[in-house]
Amino acid sequence: MICAGNWKMNKNPDEATSYVSSLSSSLRSGEEQKLILLVPALCFSSVAQGLKKTKIGWGGQNCHWQDSGAFTGENSVQVMAQMGATHCLVGHSERRQFFGETNKTCAQKIAALQKHKIIPIYCIGETLAERDSNVTEKVIATQLQEGLAADIKPNLILAYEPVWAIGTGRVASTEQIKAVHGFIRAWLKENRAPFKDTAILYGGSVKPDNAKAIASTPEVGGFLVGGASLVANDFLNILRA
Ligand code: PGA
């Protein structure tokens, strides 16, 4: 069970330092390997420093596919790797919606991360309009087909996040989660056999009080948590649920 926390554009470096110190001092044995923090680039230094002696994973929420160059405002994977990052989000729905991320740029980012030995967490999921028009599976199949391009290796994590459940407090039902996670697993087996055992996280309004039911849903390999990861104790309680 993996528990990844997406801070989004929250916290400053001082807040990041106190968060990681409170998180690492509350850990029980065996927990640190299961935790990943996806933090704003401005907090990389604080988080890298604070987690140095732990096995907690960390990394960015977005990256560029080139190591360096004229890409104003972007984050270099090469530098993230030099700083010790272990994971990075790719294709989060907020990136797709507000910053024009496409399945094709996701594939380039995934390849760049793998080149630098950072594990990509590739986010997929349908909007409410897509669910209402019964194209959920079609949308997800396209995201998988185009995002997991030919040069990509199975060393990655998938995160299914129905867009309508992100930050809305409206969690998908365990039946809905079971159906989509099952579809993803079947699609991988049929179309990308080397990826057949890839962990599939669920994300979208996961909280300490709904985590247990979702965790026991078939094919749920963990969580991608936004809002509820901002308080170290809530984040740990989700893992413990
Ligand atoms: P949420 O966000 O937990 O606040 O719904 C999840 C995410 O965006 O990854």
Side-chain angles (χ1 to χ4, degrees), residues 6 8 92 94 161 165-167 204-206 224-227:
N6 172 13
K8 310 196 179 190
H92 187 278
E94 285 148 20
E161 298 202 300
I166 295 178
S205 298
V206 176
L224 178 54
V225 188

Side-chain angles (χ1 to χ4, degrees), residues 96-135:
R96 292 177 186 266
Q97 191 183 343
F98 304 126
F99 305 101
E101 188 112 330
T102 65
N103 297 330
K104 297 213 166 89
T105 56
C106 287
Q108 291 175 284
K109 293 176 184 203
I110 293 171
L113 287 161
Q114 291 189 331
K115 181 177 107 183
H116 289 288
K117 312 228 166 343
I118 295 180
I119 299 176
I121 303 179
Y122 179 43
C123 304
I124 56 178
E126 81 288 0
T127 62
L128 187 57
E130 288 162 344
R131 175 162 285 268
D132 288 345
S133 4
N134 290 318
V135 292

Side-chain angles (χ1 to χ4, degrees), residues 53-155:
K53 295 199 178 85
T54 78
K55 295 197 177 75
I56 299 175
W58 71 274
Q61 302 165 357
N62 174 45
C63 63
H64 196 272
W65 54 87
Q66 294 287 343
D67 285 347
S68 60
F71 302 105
T72 303
E74 288 291 314
N75 300 322
S76 159
V77 178
Q78 185 178 43
V79 176
M80 228 188 276
Q82 281 164 1
M83 294 178 81
T86 54
H87 294 76
C88 184
L89 288 178
V90 176
H92 187 278
S93 68
E94 285 148 20
R95 301 289 320 168
R96 292 177 186 266
Q97 191 183 343
F98 304 126
F99 305 101
E101 188 112 330
T102 65
N103 297 330
K104 297 213 166 89
T105 56
C106 287
Q108 291 175 284
K109 293 176 184 203
I110 293 171
L113 287 161
Q114 291 189 331
K115 181 177 107 183
H116 289 288
K117 312 228 166 343
I118 295 180
I119 299 176
I121 303 179
Y122 179 43
C123 304
I124 56 178
E126 81 288 0
T127 62
L128 187 57
E130 288 162 344
R131 175 162 285 268
D132 288 345
S133 4
N134 290 318
V135 292
T136 298
E137 292 187 356
K138 187 164 168 268
V139 167
I140 286 172
T142 307
Q143 289 169 336
L144 291 170
Q145 178 78 34
E146 296 179 356
L148 306 182
D151 54 340
I152 288 164
K153 297 181 235 16
N155 191 19

